[in-house]
Amino acid sequence: MRPPREQLDARVFPGWLEAIAIGIASRVFSVAFLVGAWALHWPPVGWASFDNPFVIWDGSWYTFIAANGYHAGAVVPSQYGPGLHDFAFFPAWPMLLRALSLGNQLPMDVVAPLAANVLFLVATIPIFAVLERVGGRTFARWGLALFAFSPAGYVYSLAYSEPLYLVLAGLFFLAVGRQATAARTRSTVGAVIFAAGTQLVRVTGAALAFASLPDLLRSQTRPRGLLVIGACIAAFAAWWLWIANLTGDFWGYLLGTPSWFLNQRPTPIATGIASFFDPGLSLWWTSAIAIGLIVVLTLGTRWLWRQGEMRLALFSLACIASTMLDTQTTMPRLASIAFPAFAGLAAILPSDRWRWAALLGFAGLQGYYAANVVQRLVVP
Protein backbone atom coordinates (compact mmCIF):
# COMPACT_ATOMS: atom_id res chain seq x y z
CA MET A 1 0.00 0.00 0.00
CA ARG A 2 1.35 3.42 -0.91
CA PRO A 3 2.14 5.97 1.81
CA PRO A 4 -0.54 8.68 2.23
CA ARG A 5 1.74 11.32 0.66
CA GLU A 6 2.18 9.22 -2.48
CA GLN A 7 -1.57 8.58 -2.68
CA LEU A 8 -2.15 12.35 -2.56
CA ASP A 9 0.54 12.97 -5.20
CA ALA A 10 -1.06 10.39 -7.47
CA ARG A 11 -4.45 12.10 -7.22
CA VAL A 12 -3.17 15.65 -7.71
CA PHE A 13 -0.38 15.01 -10.22
CA PRO A 14 -0.85 12.04 -12.54
CA GLY A 15 2.33 10.08 -13.14
CA TRP A 16 2.46 10.94 -16.81
CA LEU A 17 2.31 14.65 -16.00
CA GLU A 18 5.14 14.43 -13.50
CA ALA A 19 7.18 12.38 -15.97
CA ILE A 20 6.77 14.95 -18.73
CA ALA A 21 7.61 17.79 -16.33
CA ILE A 22 10.91 16.09 -15.47
CA GLY A 23 11.50 15.42 -19.16
CA ILE A 24 10.88 19.04 -20.14
CA ALA A 25 13.15 20.36 -17.40
CA SER A 26 15.95 18.05 -18.52
CA ARG A 27 15.54 18.97 -22.20
CA VAL A 28 15.61 22.70 -21.44
CA PHE A 29 18.82 22.13 -19.48
CA SER A 30 20.46 20.03 -22.22
CA VAL A 31 19.41 22.33 -25.05
CA ALA A 32 20.68 25.38 -23.17
CA PHE A 33 24.15 23.88 -22.80
CA LEU A 34 24.30 22.58 -26.36
CA VAL A 35 23.24 25.90 -27.88
CA GLY A 36 25.28 27.97 -25.43
CA ALA A 37 28.51 26.07 -26.02
CA TRP A 38 27.95 26.12 -29.77
CA ALA A 39 27.16 29.85 -29.93
CA LEU A 40 29.95 30.91 -27.57
CA HIS A 41 32.51 28.48 -29.04
CA TRP A 42 33.30 27.21 -25.56
CA PRO A 43 35.59 25.56 -24.74
CA PRO A 44 37.82 26.96 -27.52
CA VAL A 45 39.68 24.04 -29.07
CA GLY A 46 40.44 25.26 -32.58
CA TRP A 47 37.94 23.09 -34.45
CA ALA A 48 35.44 24.40 -36.96
CA SER A 49 31.94 24.67 -35.50
CA PHE A 50 29.10 22.42 -36.55
CA ASP A 51 26.40 24.08 -38.66
CA ASN A 52 23.75 22.79 -36.27
CA PRO A 53 24.48 21.94 -32.61
CA PHE A 54 21.82 19.20 -32.66
CA VAL A 55 22.90 17.39 -35.83
CA ILE A 56 26.43 16.38 -34.88
CA TRP A 57 28.58 13.24 -34.95
CA ASP A 58 26.30 10.19 -35.46
CA GLY A 59 23.34 12.53 -35.86
CA SER A 60 24.74 13.70 -39.18
CA TRP A 61 24.94 10.08 -40.32
CA TYR A 62 21.30 9.44 -39.39
CA THR A 63 20.06 12.52 -41.23
CA PHE A 64 22.24 11.66 -44.24
CA ILE A 65 20.75 8.16 -44.39
CA ALA A 66 17.22 9.48 -43.94
CA ALA A 67 17.73 11.85 -46.86
CA ASN A 68 19.77 9.62 -49.18
CA GLY A 69 19.21 6.00 -48.19
CA TYR A 70 21.88 3.34 -47.67
CA HIS A 71 24.79 2.64 -50.00
CA ALA A 72 26.62 -0.54 -50.87
CA GLY A 73 29.98 1.22 -50.98
CA ALA A 74 31.79 3.14 -48.29
CA VAL A 75 30.42 6.65 -47.84
CA VAL A 76 33.72 7.84 -46.35
CA PRO A 77 36.80 6.20 -47.91
CA SER A 78 39.74 5.14 -45.78
CA GLN A 79 43.28 4.27 -46.86
CA TYR A 80 43.60 1.65 -44.14
CA GLY A 81 40.37 -0.36 -44.35
CA PRO A 82 37.12 -0.71 -46.26
CA GLY A 83 36.01 2.79 -45.31
CA LEU A 84 32.99 3.92 -43.30
CA HIS A 85 29.69 2.38 -44.39
CA ASP A 86 26.37 4.01 -43.56
CA PHE A 87 24.71 0.67 -42.77
CA ALA A 88 26.64 0.71 -39.50
CA PHE A 89 23.51 2.54 -38.34
CA PHE A 90 20.31 0.55 -37.88
CA PRO A 91 17.29 1.49 -40.01
CA ALA A 92 14.32 2.28 -37.76
CA TRP A 93 15.36 5.82 -36.82
CA PRO A 94 16.30 6.95 -40.36
CA MET A 95 13.06 5.44 -41.67
CA LEU A 96 11.06 7.39 -39.09
CA LEU A 97 12.91 10.60 -39.95
CA ARG A 98 12.21 10.02 -43.63
CA ALA A 99 8.50 9.66 -42.87
CA LEU A 100 8.38 12.68 -40.54
CA SER A 101 10.13 14.85 -43.10
CA LEU A 102 7.50 13.83 -45.68
CA GLY A 103 10.05 12.14 -47.87
CA ASN A 104 12.73 14.78 -47.29
CA GLN A 105 10.44 17.67 -48.17
CA LEU A 106 10.85 19.23 -44.71
CA PRO A 107 14.33 20.26 -43.49
CA MET A 108 15.91 17.16 -41.97
CA ASP A 109 18.18 19.13 -39.66
CA VAL A 110 15.06 20.57 -38.01
CA VAL A 111 12.86 17.48 -38.07
CA ALA A 112 15.48 15.14 -36.55
CA PRO A 113 16.32 17.01 -33.31
CA LEU A 114 12.70 18.07 -32.84
CA ALA A 115 11.57 14.45 -33.17
CA ALA A 116 14.30 13.29 -30.78
CA ASN A 117 13.28 15.74 -28.06
CA VAL A 118 9.59 14.93 -28.43
CA LEU A 119 10.26 11.19 -28.38
CA PHE A 120 12.27 11.57 -25.18
CA LEU A 121 9.28 13.26 -23.55
CA VAL A 122 7.10 10.40 -24.75
CA ALA A 123 9.61 7.88 -23.38
CA THR A 124 9.45 9.40 -19.89
CA ILE A 125 5.83 8.25 -19.54
CA PRO A 126 6.32 4.45 -19.80
CA ILE A 127 9.66 4.70 -17.99
CA PHE A 128 8.02 6.51 -15.07
CA ALA A 129 5.15 4.00 -15.05
CA VAL A 130 7.53 1.03 -14.97
CA LEU A 131 9.59 2.52 -12.15
CA GLU A 132 6.52 3.54 -10.18
CA ARG A 133 5.21 -0.01 -10.38
CA VAL A 134 8.50 -1.26 -8.96
CA GLY A 135 9.00 1.15 -6.07
CA GLY A 136 6.31 3.80 -5.91
CA ARG A 137 6.05 7.45 -6.89
CA THR A 138 9.14 8.73 -5.07
CA PHE A 139 11.27 5.92 -6.49
CA ALA A 140 10.06 6.71 -10.01
CA ARG A 141 10.54 10.46 -9.56
CA TRP A 142 14.16 10.22 -8.46
CA GLY A 143 14.99 7.42 -10.86
CA LEU A 144 13.70 9.35 -13.86
CA ALA A 145 15.34 12.58 -12.71
CA LEU A 146 18.79 10.98 -12.29
CA PHE A 147 18.38 9.29 -15.65
CA ALA A 148 17.24 12.42 -17.51
CA PHE A 149 20.05 14.58 -16.06
CA SER A 150 22.75 11.91 -16.35
CA PRO A 151 26.18 12.85 -17.77
CA ALA A 152 25.17 11.61 -21.22
CA GLY A 153 21.62 12.98 -21.05
CA TYR A 154 22.35 15.67 -23.62
CA VAL A 155 22.30 12.92 -26.27
CA TYR A 156 18.51 12.72 -25.99
CA SER A 157 18.31 16.20 -27.51
CA LEU A 158 20.51 15.35 -30.49
CA ALA A 159 19.48 13.71 -33.76
CA TYR A 160 20.38 10.33 -32.26
CA SER A 161 18.33 7.12 -32.12
CA GLU A 162 18.34 6.74 -28.32
CA PRO A 163 14.98 8.48 -27.70
CA LEU A 164 13.19 6.10 -30.07
CA TYR A 165 14.97 3.19 -28.41
CA LEU A 166 13.80 4.38 -24.98
CA VAL A 167 10.18 4.70 -26.11
CA LEU A 168 10.12 1.11 -27.35
CA ALA A 169 12.10 -0.29 -24.41
CA GLY A 170 9.84 1.50 -21.92
CA LEU A 171 6.74 0.13 -23.64
CA PHE A 172 8.29 -3.34 -23.64
CA PHE A 173 8.74 -3.35 -19.87
CA LEU A 174 5.30 -1.86 -19.42
CA ALA A 175 3.87 -4.75 -21.45
CA VAL A 176 5.74 -7.61 -19.78
CA GLY A 177 4.87 -6.30 -16.34
CA ARG A 178 1.17 -6.96 -16.76
CA GLN A 179 -0.03 -9.77 -14.54
CA ALA A 180 -3.70 -10.04 -15.48
CA THR A 181 -4.54 -13.31 -17.25
CA ALA A 182 -6.91 -11.57 -19.66
CA ALA A 183 -4.15 -9.27 -20.83
CA ARG A 184 -1.50 -11.99 -21.18
CA THR A 185 -1.94 -12.49 -24.92
CA ARG A 186 -2.02 -8.77 -25.64
CA SER A 187 1.04 -8.16 -23.46
CA THR A 188 2.93 -10.93 -25.25
CA VAL A 189 2.10 -9.51 -28.67
CA GLY A 190 3.10 -6.05 -27.51
CA ALA A 191 6.34 -7.31 -25.99
CA VAL A 192 7.29 -9.11 -29.22
CA ILE A 193 6.54 -6.05 -31.37
CA PHE A 194 8.42 -3.65 -29.10
CA ALA A 195 11.40 -5.99 -28.80
CA ALA A 196 11.69 -6.44 -32.57
CA GLY A 197 11.31 -2.71 -33.10
CA THR A 198 13.98 -1.92 -30.53
CA GLN A 199 16.37 -4.33 -32.21
CA LEU A 200 15.93 -2.41 -35.46
CA VAL A 201 16.81 0.85 -33.70
CA ARG A 202 20.12 -0.14 -32.12
CA VAL A 203 22.22 -3.26 -31.78
CA THR A 204 21.62 -3.00 -28.02
CA GLY A 205 18.05 -4.08 -28.69
CA ALA A 206 19.54 -7.44 -27.76
CA ALA A 207 19.36 -6.23 -24.14
CA LEU A 208 15.63 -6.95 -24.23
CA ALA A 209 16.34 -10.55 -25.25
CA PHE A 210 18.77 -10.76 -22.34
CA ALA A 211 16.10 -9.29 -20.05
CA SER A 212 13.68 -12.02 -21.15
CA LEU A 213 15.87 -14.89 -19.93
CA PRO A 214 14.03 -15.10 -16.56
CA ASP A 215 10.81 -15.75 -18.48
CA LEU A 216 12.29 -19.07 -19.60
CA LEU A 217 12.38 -20.31 -16.02
CA ARG A 218 8.59 -20.37 -15.58
CA SER A 219 6.15 -22.38 -17.67
CA GLN A 220 3.61 -19.51 -17.63
CA THR A 221 6.02 -17.00 -19.12
CA ARG A 222 8.23 -19.32 -21.19
CA PRO A 223 6.32 -18.85 -24.46
CA ARG A 224 6.62 -15.08 -24.17
CA GLY A 225 10.31 -15.30 -23.37
CA LEU A 226 10.97 -17.52 -26.37
CA LEU A 227 8.96 -15.25 -28.65
CA VAL A 228 10.74 -12.11 -27.49
CA ILE A 229 14.19 -13.66 -27.86
CA GLY A 230 13.17 -15.04 -31.25
CA ALA A 231 11.87 -11.62 -32.32
CA CYS A 232 15.20 -9.97 -31.48
CA ILE A 233 17.12 -12.65 -33.36
CA ALA A 234 14.77 -12.44 -36.34
CA ALA A 235 15.00 -8.63 -36.51
CA PHE A 236 18.78 -8.70 -36.40
CA ALA A 237 18.88 -11.51 -38.96
CA ALA A 238 16.61 -9.55 -41.29
CA TRP A 239 18.94 -6.54 -41.07
CA TRP A 240 21.98 -8.78 -41.66
CA LEU A 241 20.38 -10.32 -44.75
CA TRP A 242 19.28 -6.93 -46.06
CA ILE A 243 22.87 -5.70 -45.88
CA ALA A 244 24.04 -8.92 -47.54
CA ASN A 245 21.66 -8.24 -50.41
CA LEU A 246 22.76 -4.59 -50.61
CA THR A 247 26.47 -5.39 -50.71
CA GLY A 248 26.37 -8.76 -52.46
CA ASP A 249 28.37 -10.13 -49.53
CA PHE A 250 26.87 -12.39 -46.86
CA TRP A 251 29.37 -10.95 -44.37
CA GLY A 252 28.61 -7.37 -45.40
CA TYR A 253 27.34 -6.47 -41.92
CA LEU A 254 30.92 -6.74 -40.66
CA LEU A 255 31.89 -3.86 -42.94
CA GLY A 256 29.68 -1.64 -40.78
CA THR A 257 30.15 -1.08 -37.06
CA PRO A 258 32.79 -3.82 -36.48
CA SER A 259 35.13 -2.39 -39.12
CA TRP A 260 34.91 1.19 -37.83
CA PHE A 261 37.19 0.35 -34.93
CA LEU A 262 39.14 -2.62 -36.25
CA ASN A 263 40.70 -1.42 -39.47
CA GLN A 264 40.19 2.27 -40.15
CA ARG A 265 43.74 3.24 -39.20
CA PRO A 266 47.20 1.58 -39.18
CA THR A 267 46.50 -0.03 -35.82
CA PRO A 268 43.07 -0.86 -34.37
CA ILE A 269 41.44 1.71 -32.09
CA ALA A 270 41.60 0.63 -28.46
CA THR A 271 38.16 -0.33 -27.22
CA GLY A 272 36.55 -1.16 -23.91
CA ILE A 273 38.81 -1.21 -20.85
CA ALA A 274 41.91 -0.79 -23.01
CA SER A 275 40.66 2.61 -24.20
CA PHE A 276 40.91 3.94 -20.64
CA PHE A 277 44.68 3.73 -20.93
CA ASP A 278 45.18 4.86 -24.53
CA PRO A 279 46.93 8.26 -24.35
CA GLY A 280 46.18 8.87 -28.01
CA LEU A 281 42.40 8.73 -27.53
CA SER A 282 41.39 9.56 -24.02
CA LEU A 283 41.23 12.54 -21.74
CA TRP A 284 41.51 11.68 -18.08
CA TRP A 285 38.16 13.23 -17.19
CA THR A 286 36.22 11.27 -19.80
CA SER A 287 37.71 8.06 -18.42
CA ALA A 288 36.79 9.16 -14.89
CA ILE A 289 33.19 9.83 -15.93
CA ALA A 290 32.95 6.48 -17.71
CA ILE A 291 34.40 4.49 -14.82
CA GLY A 292 32.36 6.32 -12.20
CA LEU A 293 29.11 5.93 -14.11
CA ILE A 294 29.70 2.23 -14.70
CA VAL A 295 30.36 1.70 -11.00
CA VAL A 296 27.29 3.54 -9.72
CA LEU A 297 25.00 1.99 -12.33
CA THR A 298 26.32 -1.45 -11.42
CA LEU A 299 25.42 -0.74 -7.80
CA GLY A 300 21.94 0.34 -8.89
CA THR A 301 21.61 -2.83 -10.96
CA ARG A 302 22.62 -4.92 -7.95
CA TRP A 303 19.80 -3.30 -5.96
CA LEU A 304 17.29 -4.21 -8.67
CA TRP A 305 18.49 -7.81 -8.66
CA ARG A 306 18.19 -8.07 -4.90
CA GLN A 307 14.62 -6.76 -5.13
CA GLY A 308 13.76 -9.57 -7.54
CA GLU A 309 13.46 -7.23 -10.54
CA MET A 310 15.48 -9.60 -12.70
CA ARG A 311 14.26 -8.35 -16.07
CA LEU A 312 15.19 -4.76 -15.29
CA ALA A 313 18.47 -5.85 -13.73
CA LEU A 314 19.48 -7.97 -16.72
CA PHE A 315 18.51 -5.20 -19.13
CA SER A 316 20.67 -2.75 -17.20
CA LEU A 317 23.51 -5.23 -17.00
CA ALA A 318 23.41 -5.79 -20.77
CA CYS A 319 23.49 -2.04 -21.44
CA ILE A 320 26.42 -1.56 -19.07
CA ALA A 321 28.24 -4.54 -20.60
CA SER A 322 27.78 -3.08 -24.09
CA THR A 323 30.02 -0.21 -23.05
CA MET A 324 32.92 -2.66 -23.10
CA LEU A 325 32.61 -2.87 -26.89
CA ASP A 326 33.35 0.78 -27.58
CA THR A 327 35.83 3.49 -26.70
CA GLN A 328 35.65 5.12 -23.30
CA THR A 329 34.38 8.46 -24.61
CA THR A 330 31.14 6.85 -25.78
CA MET A 331 30.69 4.66 -22.72
CA PRO A 332 28.59 7.15 -20.71
CA ARG A 333 26.15 7.29 -23.63
CA LEU A 334 25.85 3.53 -23.99
CA ALA A 335 25.59 2.83 -20.28
CA SER A 336 23.06 5.63 -19.77
CA ILE A 337 20.38 3.72 -21.67
CA ALA A 338 20.10 1.55 -18.56
CA PHE A 339 17.33 3.67 -17.06
CA PRO A 340 16.29 1.16 -14.34
CA ALA A 341 19.79 1.29 -12.86
CA PHE A 342 19.37 5.01 -12.14
CA ALA A 343 16.31 4.22 -10.06
CA GLY A 344 18.27 1.53 -8.26
CA LEU A 345 20.96 4.11 -7.56
CA ALA A 346 18.34 6.50 -6.15
CA ALA A 347 17.10 3.72 -3.88
CA ILE A 348 20.49 3.00 -2.32
CA LEU A 349 21.31 6.65 -1.63
CA PRO A 350 20.60 7.27 2.07
CA SER A 351 18.50 10.44 1.81
CA ASP A 352 17.04 13.08 -0.49
CA ARG A 353 20.04 15.27 0.32
CA TRP A 354 22.28 12.64 -1.26
CA ARG A 355 19.92 12.31 -4.20
CA TRP A 356 19.99 16.04 -4.81
CA ALA A 357 23.77 15.97 -4.64
CA ALA A 358 23.87 13.15 -7.20
CA LEU A 359 21.41 14.99 -9.43
CA LEU A 360 23.40 18.23 -9.35
CA GLY A 361 26.64 16.34 -9.91
CA PHE A 362 25.18 14.51 -12.90
CA ALA A 363 23.82 17.76 -14.34
CA GLY A 364 27.16 19.51 -13.98
CA LEU A 365 28.98 16.66 -15.71
CA GLN A 366 26.39 16.66 -18.47
CA GLY A 367 26.80 20.37 -19.14
CA TYR A 368 30.57 20.11 -19.34
CA TYR A 369 30.40 16.96 -21.42
CA ALA A 370 27.87 18.50 -23.84
CA ALA A 371 30.03 21.58 -24.32
CA ASN A 372 33.06 19.48 -25.20
CA VAL A 373 31.04 17.30 -27.55
CA VAL A 374 29.68 20.29 -29.46
CA GLN A 375 33.19 21.69 -29.80
CA ARG A 376 34.48 18.33 -31.15
CA LEU A 377 36.85 17.73 -28.27
CA VAL A 378 35.00 14.54 -27.34
CA VAL A 379 33.09 12.06 -29.49
CA PRO A 380 29.77 11.13 -27.83
Side-chain angles (χ1 to χ4, degrees):
M1 188 174 186
R2 294 181 180 179
R5 171 63 184 274
E6 290 204 355
Q7 292 180 2
L8 178 62
D9 287 348
R11 288 196 300 268
V12 177
F13 300 105
W16 66 267
L17 185 59
E18 188 166 352
I20 289 180
I22 294 172
I24 290 174
S26 70
R27 292 314 89 207
V28 170
F29 178 85
S30 298
V31 167
F33 268 91
L34 289 166
V35 173
W38 176 76
L40 298 174
H41 302 285
W42 184 86
V45 294
W47 287 82
S49 297
F50 289 102
D51 293 334
N52 183 328
F54 302 106
V55 184
I56 59 178
W57 301 108
D58 287 0
S60 62
W61 279 93
Y62 282 119
T63 54
F64 172 82
I65 295 166
N68 302 285
Y70 289 99
H71 301 80
V75 175
V76 178
S78 170
Q79 60 179 316
Y80 301 113
L84 303 181
H85 288 75
D86 49 16
F87 51 74
F89 301 92
F90 279 61
W93 178 233
M95 289 173 60
L96 178 60
L97 292 180
R98 181 80 178 186
L100 293 175
S101 67
L102 305 180
N104 206 27
Q105 295 185 53
L106 299 177
M108 196 70 69
D109 60 348
V110 174
V111 170
L114 182 61
N117 280 274
V118 171
L119 282 173
F120 182 79
L121 297 182
V122 173
T124 63
I125 298 174
I127 288 173
F128 191 94
V130 169
L131 298 180
E132 185 177 20
R133 187 174 59 206
V134 171
R137 177 61 63 92
T138 300
F139 177 82
R141 178 185 302 134
W142 279 111
L144 180 59
L146 290 176
F147 165 67
F149 285 92
S150 68
Y154 66 91
V155 171
Y156 310 132
S157 289
L158 303 179
Y160 274 51
S161 63
E162 274 84 352
L164 177 58
Y165 179 98
L166 290 169
V167 169
L168 295 172
L171 290 172
F172 169 84
F173 285 111
L174 203 58
V176 298
R178 292 173 180 165
Q179 301 298 323
T181 302
R184 187 173 298 162
T185 299
R186 293 196 301 275
S187 68
T188 297
V189 172
V192 169
I193 292 173
F194 298 138
T198 305
Q199 186 65 73
L200 291 174
V201 176
R202 302 186 59 80
V203 69
T204 45
L208 296 184
F210 195 56
S212 296
L213 291 177
D215 283 345
L216 304 182
L217 303 178
R218 300 175 56 194
S219 59
Q220 300 94 325
T221 57
R222 189 171 299 130
R224 182 178 64 197
L226 290 171
L227 287 171
V228 167
I229 294 171
C232 290
I233 294 173
F236 182 80
W239 179 232
W240 181 291
L241 293 175
W242 189 90
I243 294 173
N245 181 68
L246 174 69
T247 61
D249 178 3
F250 179 78
W251 302 104
Y253 174 82
L254 300 180
L255 298 173
T257 301
S259 76
W260 280 46
F261 293 101
L262 297 179
N263 52 14
Q264 297 301 333
R265 55 178 59 195
T267 57
I269 297 175
T271 59
I273 295 294
S275 68
F276 291 154
F277 310 103
D278 186 341
L281 290 176
S282 62
L283 298 172
W284 70 268
W285 63 269
T286 60
S287 294
I289 292 174
I291 294 171
L293 190 63
I294 289 171
V295 169
V296 298
L297 292 184
T298 300
L299 293 175
T301 300
R302 179 175 178 268
W303 183 89
L304 291 168
W305 184 271
R306 296 183 67 179
Q307 298 301 309
E309 293 294 336
M310 294 184 182
R311 293 193 196 96
L312 294 176
L314 288 175
F315 170 76
S316 298
L317 183 62
C319 293
I320 295 170
S322 73
T323 64
M324 296 298 102
L325 302 176
D326 218 322
T327 60
Q328 48 81 17
T329 57
T330 67
M331 283 181 178
R333 174 169 68 91
L334 299 178
S336 289
I337 297 175
F339 65 86
F342 287 94
L345 172 62
I348 63 177
L349 292 174
S351 67
D352 281 354
R353 181 176 300 177
W354 281 85
R355 296 180 186 103
W356 274 111
L359 182 64
L360 293 175
F362 276 4
L365 288 173
Q366 182 190 144
Y368 189 59
Y369 209 102
N372 281 272
V373 163
V374 169
Q375 295 303 328
R376 306 194 189 200
L377 186 61
V378 176
V379 181

